């Protein structure tokens, strides 16, 4: 047996699994997105039409798709940097020598990640309540007028971002913590001897060494945040005024609520293209900067 | 083993009626599965797609035409003719009609729901409103008077923005049908529906109604008790809820009234749930026995006692429990005027658009004319497939009619 044949034989089981569970569904979805497959087609196949790119064109003409895209990009643009900043901050805090009860805080910060969205969303809905919520009560103590967090289309998305960041930052924090612990202590010692302030130590030692970790965390967070769904589904059902409808939420409604699988597949593909483009761009920037 | 899917709270309480059925039919067993009401439509469609529907189900009245078109339902006319205890003419016409599509009966109403205002007698009296309003104009006067009385932080009425029903109930009073040309196009630009849109919008413009959805009003019953709003348009299940949840001193201060119409007591949507037999059931005869049993007037009255849901048969309404209930009286009155929504399979989706456009209208993002045009545009898009199916005759006999 030639070495290359042997290689294929060894890879075959894994490749076939990927083929069956990834490539075939993706191709099927691509085919579906070119038809108007819906519940009527399921009942009688003569109700199925081949529509070529009509699903895509109709989506691009649908104002709701654009506002869903806008909402998703808003969520990503604000949520991802905020989430990374908060998790990095928490990791630095937990890593510093000043912190007490590190295991306790590590667990506490990680706890939201492992609780279910639905359970904590109920609690957050109460926290965010306009008239009885704890958050508005706190703001009132500072003399700030109550904010209609979930009822005002301008505030609903910030409220969702707040919730998502709180829910997710623990996960990245653990990864950052591992990265921080891998930095040799003698680098800091040398910097201190040279008289570098903590801020300069952070800028010239911590950040560069953390670079690859930062890149990985960014890509993971980006990919995760593009798939915003559970938070608006549970907290706002896309409202008010559809201001928290995300692309994935739109796909869910089209696909699973109304069973318009053709349309839903088209939404999924557009999201896929968008996510590939964004992460590729991120990788390209990182490669140019020499991180990786 | 008969598999029976029921939605929400009803799915829970109906289990207490099953032992009696099993006692009468010792060879039969019934397995009740409870669907959450908000996800029931999706779950039924998913079960249809996955070929795992049960033998018998209680589904929303507005979904019947959809499942009939999907060929998921068994026509019931032959079985009805053979069952003496089940007589269609004993049912409220609007409720029975929801299950009749193209002359065939696909569903038997289980409980009916029509929405009407619950109101605070004391707050109305304080504002100088002497009797419950019967027309839109009287209702507007009453709301204006209440608003003057309660001030800027409280409201006269609650129309939850996350529900299509309040606006839809106003719209269905219109003499014009909601869809036109055999359900090919939306008819929301009709003068009648526009008047409903204008009425709805004015309630928000004048701050008679808060811009709020149910999810923001953490506890509707508490807020009603606190007088946050004086009218609350909702369904009959709330009779039991208000009895249970309002404090004793408020118990004689609330009442129900028929929904005002443009020129006197108005129509409203014949909602609720109906029994259907799913096609392909291996136990259709046993399942039909269950439907016949649960439709007996006596059983319906017991079910009303357990759940507060209103029976769809006039015979059941002769029971002392219902005759003596002052809160049920307005519902009894209004049920005679309840109307089915257009029987096109896409209706559920169009109703969601009514909710969304209604929300934009209430927020002042759309004018009445724009909202009407937008609703027609959205409905026409949703109905595109239906038009194509009608034109190419691929649509089944159960296509339904518009109107």
């Amino acid at each position: 047996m030639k070495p290359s044949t042997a290689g294929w034989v060894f890879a075959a089981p894994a490749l076939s699994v990927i083929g069956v569970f990834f490539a075939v569904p993706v191709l099927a979805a691509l085919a579906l997105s070119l038809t108007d497959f819906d519940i009527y087609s399921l009942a009688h196949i003569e109700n199925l039409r081949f529509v070529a790119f009509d699903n895509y064109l109709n989506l691009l003409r649908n104002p709701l798709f654009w506002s869903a895209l806008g909402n998703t990009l808003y969520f990503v643009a604000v949520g991802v940097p905020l989430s990374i900043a908060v998790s990095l901050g928490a990791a630095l805090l937990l890593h510093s020598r000043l912190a007490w009860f590190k295991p306790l805080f590590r667990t506490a910060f990680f706890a939201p990640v492992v609780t279910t969205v639905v359970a904590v969303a109920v609690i957050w809905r109460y926290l965010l309540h306009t008239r009885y919520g704890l958050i508005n009560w706190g703001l009132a103590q500072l003399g700030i007028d109550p904010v209609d967090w979930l009822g005002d289309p301008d505030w609903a998305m910030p409220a969702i971002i707040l919730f998502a960041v709180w829910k997710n930052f623990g996960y990245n924090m653990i990864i950052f913590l591992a990265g921080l612990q891998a930095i040799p202590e003698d680098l800091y010692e040398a910097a201190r001897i040279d008289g570098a302030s903590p801020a300069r130590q952070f800028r010239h030692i911590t950040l560069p060494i953390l670079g690859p970790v930062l890149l990985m965390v960014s890509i993971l967070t980006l990919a995760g945040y593009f798939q915003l769904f559970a938070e608006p589904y549970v907290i706002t059902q896309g409202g008010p005024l559809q201001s928290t409808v995300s692309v994935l939420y739109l796909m869910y409604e089209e696909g699973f609520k109304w069973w318009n699988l053709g349309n839903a597949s088209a939404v999924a593909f557009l999201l896929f293209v968008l996510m590939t483009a964004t992460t590729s761009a991120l990788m390209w920037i990182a490669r140019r900067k020499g991180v990786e | 083993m008969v598999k029976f899917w029921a939605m929400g709270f009803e799915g829970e309480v109906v289990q207490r009626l099953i032992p009696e059925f099993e006692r009468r039919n010792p060879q039969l067993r019934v397995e009740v599965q409870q669907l959450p009401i908000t996800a029931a439509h999706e779950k039924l469609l998913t079960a249809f797609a996955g070929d795992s529907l049960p033998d018998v189900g209680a589904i929303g009245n507005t979904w019947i035409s959809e499942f009939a078109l999907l060929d998921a339902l068994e026509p019931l006319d032959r079985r009805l003719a053979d069952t003496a205890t089940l007589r269609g003419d004993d049912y409220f016409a609007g409720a029975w009609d929801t299950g009749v599509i193209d002359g065939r009966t696909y569903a038997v109403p289980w409980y009916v729901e029509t929405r009407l205002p619950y109101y605070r007698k004391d707050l109305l009296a304080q504002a100088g409103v002497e009797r419950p309003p019967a027309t839109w104009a009287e209702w507007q006067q009453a709301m204006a008077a209440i608003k003057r009385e309660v001030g800027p932080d409280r409201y006269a009425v609650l129309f939850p923005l996350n529900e299509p029903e309040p606006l839809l109930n106003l719209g269905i009073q219109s003499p014009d049908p909601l869809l036109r040309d055999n359900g090919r196009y939306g008819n929301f630009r009709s003068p009648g529906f526009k008047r409903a849109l204008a009425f709805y919008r004015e309630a928000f413009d004048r701050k008679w109604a808060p811009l709020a959805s149910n999810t923001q009003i953490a506890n509707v019953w508490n807020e009603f008790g606190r007088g946050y709003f004086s009218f609350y348009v909702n369904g009959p299940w709330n009779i039991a809820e208000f009895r249970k949840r309002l404090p004793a001193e408020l118990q004689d201060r609330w009442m129900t009234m028929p929904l005002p119409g443009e020129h006197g007591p108005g129509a409203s949507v014949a909602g609720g749930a109906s029994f259907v037999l799913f096609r392909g059931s291996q136990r259709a005869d046993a399942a039909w026995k269950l439907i016949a049993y649960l439709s007996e007037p006596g059983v319906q009255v017991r079910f009303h006692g357990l759940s507060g849901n209103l029976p769809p048969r006039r015979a059941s309404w002769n029971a002392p429990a219902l005759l003596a209930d002052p809160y049920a009286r307005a519902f009894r009155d209004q049920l005679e005027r309840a109307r089915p929504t257009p029987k096109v399979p896409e209706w559920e989706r169009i109703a969601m658009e009514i909710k969304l456009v209604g929300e934009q209208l209430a927020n002042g993002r759309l004018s009445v004319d724009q909202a009407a045009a937008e609703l027609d545009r959205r409905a026409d898009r949703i109905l595109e497939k239906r038009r194509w199916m009608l034109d190419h005759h691929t649509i089944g006999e159960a296509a339904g009619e518009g109107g």
Side-chain angles (χ1 to χ4, degrees):
Chain A
M1 198 185 280
K2 280 195 294 183
S4 63
T5 324
W8 280 109
V9 170
F10 277 113
L15 282 179
S16 56
V17 168
I18 292 175
V20 170
F21 292 106
F22 182 74
V24 171
V26 168
L27 288 177
L30 186 62
L32 270 187
S33 75
L34 304 177
T35 70
D36 72 341
F37 193 93
D38 57 10
I39 195 92
Y40 305 120
S41 321
L42 209 57
H44 301 286
I45 196 68
E46 62 264 38
N47 285 335
L48 183 71
R49 286 177 292 177
F50 176 77
V51 296
F53 293 102
D54 276 6
N55 285 335
Y56 293 94
L57 293 176
N58 284 336
L59 266 182
L60 297 179
R61 278 196 293 259
N62 184 353
L64 182 59
F65 173 74
W66 290 106
S67 68
L69 192 64
N71 294 336
T72 309
L73 290 177
Y74 178 18
F75 181 76
V76 168
V78 179
V80 171
L82 195 65
S83 170
I84 290 177
V86 172
S87 32
L88 185 58
L92 286 170
L93 216 63
L94 282 183
H95 187 61
S96 82
R97 265 164 297 167
L98 301 170
W100 297 348
F101 305 122
K102 286 182 191 179
L104 175 74
F105 280 107
R106 212 159 45 209
T107 316
F109 288 165
F110 196 67
V113 179
V114 288
T115 49
T116 53
V117 187
V118 179
V120 286
V122 173
I123 297 170
W124 270 78
R125 245 182 14 207
Y126 276 103
L127 290 178
L128 291 167
H129 194 278
T130 317
R131 277 169 299 140
Y132 311 121
L134 199 63
I135 293 181
N136 273 348
W137 182 82
L139 289 178
Q141 302 302 306
L142 301 172
I144 300 172
D145 282 339
V147 175
D148 189 1
W149 291 101
L150 300 177
D152 184 332
D154 293 334
W155 282 109
M157 195 45 109
I160 297 265
I161 292 173
L162 209 65
F163 172 72
V165 167
W166 171 83
K167 174 90 176 65
N168 299 323
F169 82 93
Y171 185 74
N172 290 340
M173 179 192 77
I174 297 288
I175 300 175
F176 278 133
L177 210 53
L180 287 173
Q181 280 161 357
I183 302 176
E185 191 53 33
D186 43 358
L187 289 178
Y188 290 107
E189 219 173 283
R192 269 198 301 278
I193 292 169
D194 289 344
S197 65
R200 290 186 67 117
Q201 288 174 31
F202 175 74
R203 194 170 127 62
H204 293 289
I205 301 174
T206 314
L207 266 190
I209 297 185
L210 224 47
V213 178
L214 205 60
L215 178 67
M216 186 192 76
V217 164
S218 307
I219 290 176
L220 284 180
T221 313
L222 206 63
Y225 275 35
F226 262 119
Q227 299 175 43
L228 169 70
F229 170 70
E231 289 85 355
Y233 179 68
V234 183
I235 299 188
T236 55
Q237 279 99 51
L241 288 170
Q242 297 185 294
S243 59
T244 55
V245 171
S246 66
V247 176
L248 210 62
Y249 189 91
L250 187 71
M251 182 189 99
Y252 160 80
E253 289 222 313
E254 282 290 331
F256 296 100
K257 197 161 180 191
W258 309 118
W259 278 85
N260 288 333
L261 292 181
N263 248 332
S265 306
V267 179
F269 263 89
L270 285 179
L271 185 64
F272 172 71
V273 168
L274 185 72
M275 282 169 67
T276 313
T278 322
T279 36
S280 306
L282 200 68
M283 294 287 277
W284 181 76
I285 294 170
R287 216 169 279 143
R288 270 190 27 162
K289 290 206 159 185
V291 190
E292 217 188 339
Chain B
M1 180 72 82
V2 177
K3 280 196 183 147
F4 173 34
W5 283 8
M7 302 183 291
F9 178 58
E10 290 75 24
E12 191 184 318
V13 296
V14 75
Q15 315 217 5
R16 290 193 244 165
L17 299 173
I18 299 298
E20 165 72 12
F21 176 73
E22 291 181 340
R23 195 185 58 72
R24 288 199 215 167
N25 301 280
Q27 74 287 11
L28 297 179
R29 286 285 165 273
V30 179
E31 183 190 326
V32 182
Q33 284 223 18
Q34 196 185 350
L35 305 182
I37 205 149
T38 47
H41 184 256
E42 285 162 59
K43 286 195 188 296
L44 285 162
L45 280 185
T46 307
F48 170 75
D51 205 12
S52 55
L53 284 166
D55 300 305
V56 54
I59 69 174
N61 282 348
T62 50
W63 311 341
I64 295 167
S65 59
E66 179 173 1
F67 285 91
L69 174 66
L70 293 177
D71 244 351
L73 305 182
E74 199 73 50
L76 301 176
D77 298 283
R78 189 180 51 79
R79 292 179 189 278
L80 278 166
D82 295 342
T83 311
T85 53
L86 241 171
R87 286 181 26 245
D89 54 4
D90 188 32
Y91 284 75
F92 294 113
W96 184 264
D97 190 35
T98 58
V100 182
I101 289 154
D102 273 1
R104 283 196 190 174
T105 311
Y106 287 92
V108 174
W110 181 17
Y111 52 87
V112 282
E113 171 217 308
T114 175
R115 300 212 172 185
L116 50 69
Y118 290 73
Y119 69 97
R120 286 281 301 268
K121 288 196 279 188
D122 53 338
L123 295 177
L124 261 64
Q126 268 176 40
V129 180
E130 283 168 8
R131 56 183 180 83
T135 64
W136 284 5
E138 285 176 25
W139 200 10
Q140 286 176 321
Q141 280 169 13
M143 287 193 287
I146 292 167
K147 183 68 188 176
R148 273 196 302 277
E149 180 73 21
V150 297
D153 296 330
R154 295 195 290 168
Y155 298 88
V157 66
L158 177 65
F159 293 139
L161 291 177
N162 58 335
E163 296 179 347
E165 281 86 0
L167 176 55
L168 181 57
N169 276 319
L170 296 172
I172 208 164
Q173 301 181 338
S174 149
D176 309 303
L178 297 173
L179 302 179
R180 61 187 169 85
D181 293 353
N182 189 20
R184 279 178 163 83
Y185 297 95
N187 193 30
F188 298 103
R189 271 176 290 189
S190 69
F193 198 84
K194 274 193 190 173
R195 286 196 297 275
L197 288 170
F199 179 91
Y200 191 70
R201 161 126 194 206
E202 191 176 351
F204 290 96
D205 278 354
R206 296 188 184 268
K207 307 252 183 298
W208 296 335
L211 281 169
S213 60
N214 264 347
T215 46
Q216 286 159 264
I217 309 260
N219 184 325
V220 207
W221 307 285
N222 273 351
E223 297 292 355
F224 185 70
R226 284 181 191 144
Y228 188 61
F229 42 84
S230 300
F231 292 103
Y232 176 39
V233 179
N234 215 277
W237 57 86
N238 264 320
I239 295 180
E241 296 295 333
F242 281 130
R243 276 197 176 127
K244 193 165 69 191
R245 292 171 191 256
L246 288 180
E249 68 270 18
L250 284 178
Q251 281 302 342
D252 57 350
R253 297 193 193 163
W254 62 280
M255 193 36 80
T256 54
M257 60 181 252
L259 188 70
E262 273 192 277
H263 317 286
S268 67
V269 173
S274 295
F275 297 115
V276 293
L277 278 185
F278 287 110
R279 199 183 278 277
S281 159
Q282 305 292 316
R283 290 161 293 263
D285 290 337
W288 177 252
K289 272 189 187 161
L290 178 67
I291 294 178
Y293 162 75
L294 289 171
S295 302
E296 287 172 15
V299 180
Q300 286 192 349
V301 172
R302 275 188 64 205
F303 180 66
H304 164 73
L306 291 171
S307 67
N309 281 300
L310 301 178
R313 298 183 72 157
R314 295 189 183 89
S316 311
W317 278 86
N318 294 329
L322 274 160
L323 284 178
D325 185 345
Y327 302 114
R329 220 166 280 149
F331 283 102
R332 170 73 179 81
D333 177 41
Q334 186 159 308
L335 280 172
E336 296 284 359
R337 290 189 301 274
R339 289 181 188 168
T341 51
K343 292 181 212 165
V344 299
E346 290 83 359
W347 182 256
E348 183 66 11
R349 201 163 178 189
I350 295 175
M352 286 302 121
E353 300 295 347
I354 293 180
K355 174 188 87 171
L356 293 169
V357 173
E359 193 183 7
Q360 297 194 343
L361 177 75
N363 275 278
R365 303 267 171 113
L366 294 177
S367 70
V368 167
D369 286 338
Q370 284 168 333
E374 177 69 16
L375 262 177
D376 271 348
R377 197 181 64 78
R378 294 188 183 194
D380 291 354
R381 201 179 61 214
I382 292 169
L383 292 166
E384 189 272 335
K385 181 99 180 206
R386 175 181 168 82
R387 292 195 293 275
W388 180 82
M389 291 195 295
L390 284 172
D391 293 343
H392 289 77
H393 307 288
T394 64
I395 205 159
E397 271 190 40
E401 67 245 32

